[in-house]
Amino acid sequence: MVDATAAGLRLAGTWGLDFPARPGGRSFVEMGGELLAGPPGQDGRSAPGAPPPRPLDYLVVAHEAYDATPAGLVAGYLADACPGDPRAFSLADQGIGAPFSGLRILDRIHRGGGLDDAALFVLDPAAGAVLTLGGTGDWALRTVAEERAGAAADCLPPLTGAPAPPPAPAPAPAPAPAPAPAPDRAPGPRTAYLLGEGLRDLAGALEGTGATVRHAAPGQGCAGVWRALPAALRGAAEEGAGRLVIADRDRGLGRLHLAAFVPLR
């Protein structure tokens, strides 16, 4: 069991939608409205829903591409549509790293005692996702990191070294006259990975460590891994993973972005 008091920001819920291409595209305000309609049902269509259920302290909109058909300020629109009176702002000009920066900012505010509930909206012309965050939820954010990564191989050390929950104390062994030799290193908690397009060629190396690897759909920009997050969380929970690492590499900027979540139960 992870110590929730030390775990920082927790993930209360997440859902996403694909945005099929259409003439003229969608404005960010339209995308936000579709996301607020709720998570998709079994038929893939948006199911009747509601905005985040608890009053928000903060609301962040993260995007890589720009609004093709501006129809208003999306952060202000979403702040008015969600419960509470959240401080709202947008993050851009960071490539695929914008959602990771949003997580880092919200985590620091939460750790400083200034946030109980927040929402992170991730928008791309092809897909979008929502994360509701705060002091409740079954997964806790342990770290958000950014590393220089000129080549894909540069990403392996920070990915495999993502912080893990501390192991439970082992019971005292019973006396034995001739104990078997101990292995060089005890196995760590099982890791699940969710990789974006920029890390697709690292799947084999990570699977070689015994990890489970899932991939975001191509062509969804900074929203790719976050659109795929609900299924990755379900899979990691079913597998009993000790952590879920979400990561993508911005080839143009030569940056690796990763976020590690650990289960609280």
Side-chain angles (χ1 to χ4, degrees), residues 27-33 35-36 59-63 67 70-82 88-91 121 123:
S27 71
F28 280 4
V29 167
E30 287 179 288
M31 293 179 190
L35 285 166
L36 283 178
L59 186 149
V60 178
V61 179
H63 56 94
D67 197 339
L73 297 176
V74 62
Y77 162 75
L78 291 171
D80 288 341
C82 289
F89 58 92
S90 296
L91 286 169
F121 285 77
L123 300 179

Side-chain angles (χ1 to χ4, degrees), residues 12 28 50 66-67 71 78 86 92 109 114-115 126 130 137 145 177 183 186 188-189 201 204 208 217 222 225 251:
F28 280 4
Y66 280 88
D67 197 339
L78 291 171
I109 297 172
L115 181 156
V130 185
D201 50 354
C222 73
V225 290
R251 292 189 176 98

Side-chain angles (χ1 to χ4, degrees), residues 2-34:
V2 176
D3 181 2
T5 63
L9 199 65
R10 294 166 68 172
L11 180 61
T14 180
W15 67 91
L17 290 173
D18 295 333
F19 297 132
R22 71 183 188 192
R26 287 175 173 78
S27 71
F28 280 4
V29 167
E30 287 179 288
M31 293 179 190
E34 292 182 43

Side-chain angles (χ1 to χ4, degrees), residues 41-167:
Q42 292 184 350
D43 59 358
R45 298 181 179 179
S46 183
R54 296 160 62 96
L56 300 179
D57 305 304
Y58 282 84
L59 186 149
V60 178
V61 179
H63 56 94
E64 178 182 6
Y66 280 88
D67 197 339
T69 55
L73 297 176
V74 62
Y77 162 75
L78 291 171
D80 288 341
C82 289
D85 186 20
R87 296 183 179 183
F89 58 92
S90 296
L91 286 169
D93 294 323
Q94 298 184 45
I96 61 169
F100 294 89
S101 294
L103 271 181
R104 183 184 296 109
I105 292 168
L106 293 174
D107 185 50
R108 288 180 179 176
I109 297 172
H110 174 69
R111 289 177 184 271
L115 181 156
D116 290 321
D117 291 281
L120 174 64
F121 285 77
V122 185
L123 300 179
D124 180 85
V130 185
L131 283 70
T132 55
L133 304 146
T136 61
D138 295 334
W139 291 83
L141 180 66
R142 289 299 292 263
T143 189
V144 185
E146 177 183 326
E147 305 281 349
R148 292 187 181 275
D154 298 334
C155 301
L156 278 174
L159 281 173
T160 56

